[in-house]
Amino acid sequence: MSVTSTATTNEQPDDRWTTVRVPLPCEEIRDAVTVFAHAHGFTADLAGPRTLWLRTEAGEPMADVRWKPAAPAEPFTIRQSPQSGAGTEVLIEPRPEGRLPAEALHRHLTDHHALPYTPAELNGIRTGMPLLNHYSTPAPPLTGWAMIFRDHYLKHSVGFVTAMERAGIPARWILTLDKGDRTLGRDRVHATFTARGYTSTLLDNAHVNNPAAHTPELAAVGETVDAFIDAAHRAGRRVLVVDDGGLLARGYGTHAARHRADAALELTVSGLKRIAAAPPLAIPVLNLARSQAKTRLGYREIADSCLRRLRTILPDRKLIGRPIVLLGYGVLGSRLAAQLRALGCRLTVVDTDLPTLIGAAEDGYTTCRTLTDALLATTPTVIIGTTGEQALTADDIPLLPDQVLLAPFATADFSHLTEHPRYSRTTVPGLGVRFTLPGPRTITLLGDGRSLNLYEADSIPTGGYDAYRAATLIAAHALTTTKTPPPPGVHTAWADTAIQAAGLWDAYYTLHCTNHPATAAAPTGGPVPGAVPGRRPGRAAVVGYGTTGRLHTRTPHQSPDHPDGDRP
Ligand SMILES: NC(=O)c1ccc[n+]([C@@H]2O[C@H](COP(=O)([O-])OP(=O)(O)OC[C@H]3O[C@@H](n4cnc5c(N)ncnc54)[C@H](O)[C@@H]3O)[C@@H](O)[C@H]2O)c1
């Protein structure tokens, strides 16, 4: 499988470097690459103590491979010390003609050598998601199901799939599909899934969005999915799809499907749009994308991850007090707007839906009907995209100010730039792609054009997505065990009712929002795991109430004009 193929047809060769961390000492990397080279008809020539040139037998350069000892990984949970071992970090940089061999080498190192999460790390993920853990008790009917899971390869995805395994779906009957974003630990997630006995491969969103340009890749993953569904049905199993916008759109839930899933959960808004555009469904699909749990709990965490990623990727940029244009004031945009305002940014909101735009205006933001209007009225430091549509158009290009930064949190927003090769571009490693426009002006698209909070980042913390992942597990459990499933089509209320009935809101409130000792029994069973007896969850004490102390006590919702509103 290719877990890191992020190349699109428009990328420049230097966009495509990848790194992989392997649990081998440095001395063994040369042998590992040489094994690959010989198996594929290449040569691997030593060009330095830790550099190999991968070439064809005719001497044509395909890729440069460099490596160094990996620094110990920082712990991703404060509950335990790092356990992941050191190993070696390998950088693979394709030459102009070497994209496919470089991808194959990455795949080879990942499949044969990438480091799965250690038991201690897996335990850290599990204890970091106490609600999910609580609801993942064994459910006998689930043992008769197979599951296809498609989402970003992130730690909370590991938490979810391993929870479904605990709940009853055998490892052999789990197929996981990576969406193809450059998430920070994607190779280790793939290695973990493989080590547990799942089948793990790639169904890249870029390929789903542009099928004509990616026929071979889609055919290959299609064969894997078809074979998995057929084998499950032959074994008397039903197939549940947990989809983050891509598989159902490829027809696996329709009447005409030759290999049809039996039930599904849709996790994302873009997936809902694709389902709406596809032929009618023949199976029930629970809409988790617009569930109360995602809207009320998940999106706040997503918005937080977007803002944190923006600030991390721009360590030297001042954002407080600066003008920012925000495209889209929907569920994600409106939450991000509130967080940017709490930071002190001066926001101009653009939304094409007039009632939504009026909402933004009456929430106190400066608003414009179009990006063009916004660019005529203000000179933003950053333009943020949260629309899921192509929001930057050719008309806007002449108005973009020099040095402006574009931050996409949905892939389509700035796709005008990435899809049109006429703009000259340079990759700035770790930051994004710099475009030179007439003027001359330079603008920078942060990340790789896909959602920035997923670019070389782990996005939402496991604890932040715990409730949403628990809600997804509850909905999956309800759908696969009910005697009266909903009819074919997309259902939102059905999922909300199941989640409410399972007591998730009570458990969440008890765990995070009360002052009571959090050992109170959760409605569905025993105490909510992860709670510390006698501790008051969700509280912090500020010692000292001078100027700094007062600032620390402010909540994002407090008016900066009334910092004394809530005393600790
Ligand atoms: N990065 C992430 O982790 C993440 C997480 C959740 C959702 N998303 C993506 O973010 C996007 C938005 O999600 P949402 O739930 O907020 O959807 P939403 O439908 O609630 O909001 C989208 C808003 O954009 C507006 N809009 C559409 N086209 C526009 C245009 N050309 N210019 C300005 N405004 C426009 C719509 O009117 C709407 O108000 C989706 O593509 C979704 O897949 C990303």
Side-chain angles (χ1 to χ4, degrees), residues 269 290 299 302 330-332 351-353 386 388-389 409 451 453:
V269 173
R290 285 298 186 228
Y299 266 96
I302 295 167
V331 184
L332 177 57
D351 199 296
T352 45
D353 180 65
T386 70
E389 303 291 338
F409 292 111
S451 292
N453 56 328

Side-chain angles (χ1 to χ4, degrees), residues 152 268-271 273 289-290 294 299 302 305-306 326-334 350-354 356 369-371 385-393 408-413 451-454 459-460 465:
H152 302 293
T268 188
V269 173
S270 53
K273 286 184 196 166
R290 285 298 186 228
K294 183 160 187 185
Y299 266 96
I302 295 167
S305 81
C306 296
L326 176 70
L327 300 168
Y329 194 69
V331 184
L332 177 57
S334 58
V350 177
D351 199 296
T352 45
D353 180 65
L354 210 43
T356 304
R369 286 184 176 219
T370 63
L371 175 57
T386 70
T387 74
E389 303 291 338
Q390 196 170 87
L392 175 83
T393 66
F409 292 111
T411 304
D413 286 51
S451 292
L452 180 59
N453 56 328
L454 296 158
S459 188
I460 306 155
Y465 233 33

Side-chain angles (χ1 to χ4, degrees), residues 424-450:
S424 112
R425 59 169 79 185
T426 319
T427 296
V428 186
L431 179 72
V433 186
R434 193 156 283 159
F435 292 85
T436 305
L437 303 177
R441 293 159 296 148
T442 53
I443 62 168
T444 304
L445 179 65
L446 298 173
D448 58 359
R450 300 164 76 136

Side-chain angles (χ1 to χ4, degrees), residues 263 291 296 318:
S291 63
R296 289 175 183 266
K318 176 173 169 55

